[in-house]
Amino acid sequence: MTAVHRRMLVALCAALALVCATGANAAIVTSHDDQGRQITFDVRAPNVDTEWYASVLRASAHGNEISDVTIRIVPESQIPGLCGGEDASACYTGRSGPPTIMIAAGKSQILEDTLLHEYGHHLDTYWRVSGVPELNGTPAWWAARGMAALLANHQVAFDYSLGWSHGIGEIFAEDYSYIHTGDRYAIRWLSPPDAALKAALFAELGTPTELPFAPEVPSVLNRRGTLVPRDRFSIPFSLLGPGRRVTLAATVTKPKRKGIRARAQLVCDGHVVVSRNFGKGRSKRAFDIHNLGPADCDVRLVSNTGVSLGYTLRLTLAVEGTT
């Protein structure tokens, strides 16, 4: 079967699968890469275009391991509960159970980056570096990134003891995503992969093709939880270019308490862009900031009191003119 015929068959199957997935609470949908390897989706959200997710993975550098993972697509609001953290945007479970990528339903540049990051974790579990504990990336990556020296200097760890951005597995996953997209890179203390590292990884993993179109549509995150006394909740994100808009609507419980019990802040490149106080009698705060970026930012909810506070956040990231 030629590549053209394979793509026609894949498109037909995807169209039929989309009909099935929208008519039920859950559906197993399959697609294939250009070598005929199966890609499996567990669809648990309505109106999901599984073929878009498949086309991202099909275009990526990968091998036979693509048939050993299931991509579970759920409503974005379910991700924190499934992935064990209010700040989670996706997760991979292959280290503790059947290889599964949990990811939100949609179609955007952020989701494209996120899917590739989580697939990087899947690759990591299937590649071994001789004499090095997991998680360790791939042999070519370990050598080209100088991971042995970074480990000896206590700059990285096999776990999260030095923080998320110093975890070897997270660095590999970010590198894998970045060599395909060239945009978001969340490891701020380390330079993104250069041309030499990119070439080494593609020589090892395979040559990718052009990624499918991913619109930079507004991204909406809804979070709720509890701030313990003096706690802080943060959602980090990157604004890739100029003309970005950040909108936040937040609520915090216990409005009858005296004084300022919490603050909602937007911080970009280390500077506080805006801060809103939750004082007595005020349970809701909001801000809508235009013309931001490019920048690395995070939205923070900071407790300023000795009691626990319930909160809800709705964060919207958009390009000017898209909302």
Side-chain angles (χ1 to χ4, degrees):
M1 184 183 295
T2 68
V4 172
H5 289 143
R6 276 197 297 270
R7 289 187 182 277
M8 292 174 63
L9 179 60
V10 164
L12 176 60
C13 292
L16 294 174
L18 181 58
V19 172
C20 295
T22 56
N25 292 329
I28 300 299
V29 180
T30 60
S31 188
H32 295 83
D33 71 2
D34 288 337
Q35 285 71 47
R37 305 180 184 102
Q38 182 167 299
I39 308 172
T40 302
F41 299 92
D42 178 4
V43 182
R44 304 194 181 192
N47 303 315
V48 172
D49 181 4
T50 56
E51 179 55 18
W52 179 77
Y53 294 83
S55 64
V56 174
L57 295 175
R58 189 180 300 122
S60 69
H62 66 272
N64 292 335
E65 79 289 330
I66 199 168
S67 295
D68 295 319
V69 63
T70 297
I71 296 87
R72 181 172 297 167
I73 304 172
V74 302
E76 190 277 332
S77 61
Q78 295 182 12
I79 289 292
L82 291 170
C83 294
E86 286 298 323
D87 58 346
S89 57
C91 57
Y92 173 70
T93 65
R95 294 290 294 172
S96 57
T100 304
I101 291 172
M102 309 278 193
I103 193 165
K107 185 187 296 185
S108 68
Q109 290 183 10
I110 291 177
L111 275 175
E112 185 176 70
D113 291 339
T114 302
L115 178 58
L116 289 169
H117 176 100
E118 299 305 326
Y119 193 80
H121 286 308
H122 178 60
L123 268 174
D124 196 350
T125 66
Y126 275 76
W127 284 76
R128 302 288 183 266
V129 180
S130 180
V132 179
E134 294 288 349
L135 298 166
N136 53 31
T138 66
W141 176 82
W142 179 270
R145 253 308 188 188
M147 277 292 131
L150 292 175
L151 184 65
N153 291 330
H154 306 289
Q155 292 180 274
V156 297
F158 293 107
D159 54 21
Y160 296 115
S161 58
L162 299 177
W164 178 90
S165 67
H166 292 262
I168 293 171
E170 298 297 344
I171 297 172
F172 175 76
E174 275 294 286
D175 282 3
Y176 178 79
S177 177
Y178 185 86
I179 62 175
H180 291 86
T181 66
D183 48 36
R184 296 172 176 84
Y185 193 72
I187 311 296
R188 300 180 185 180
W189 68 274
L190 194 62
S191 297
D194 59 15
L197 178 57
K198 182 176 179 178
L201 271 170
F202 286 154
E204 180 180 47
L205 299 173
T207 302
T209 58
E210 184 177 356
L211 289 170
F213 172 72
E216 192 167 350
V217 299
S219 176
V220 180
L221 297 177
N222 293 286
R223 296 291 184 263
R224 68 172 60 242
T226 301
L227 284 173
V228 300
R230 315 298 175 182
D231 193 12
R232 185 179 81 176
F233 173 69
S234 176
I235 303 176
F237 55 92
S238 294
L239 303 174
L240 297 184
R244 268 49 177 181
R245 180 180 180 184
V246 178
T247 307
L248 180 76
T251 65
V252 172
T253 58
K254 297 183 172 61
K256 294 182 180 180
R257 289 189 64 84
K258 295 180 180 180
I260 296 172
R261 65 191 186 282
R263 292 182 175 88
Q265 297 179 323
L266 172 63
V267 180
C268 291
D269 293 335
H271 301 286
V272 177
V273 177
V274 62
S275 183
R276 296 285 187 265
N277 294 334
F278 290 86
K280 184 177 180 181
R282 186 178 289 275
S283 61
K284 298 180 180 180
R285 296 306 312 247
F287 55 71
D288 186 3
I289 310 301
H290 297 250
N291 297 319
L292 292 171
D296 291 323
C297 304
D298 66 277
V299 160
R300 301 173 184 175
L301 193 61
V302 184
S303 170
N304 192 49
T305 187
V307 299
S308 295
L309 301 169
Y311 68 85
T312 65
L313 296 177
R314 181 178 177 84
L315 172 65
T316 303
L317 308 177
V319 179
E320 294 287 354
T322 61
T323 59

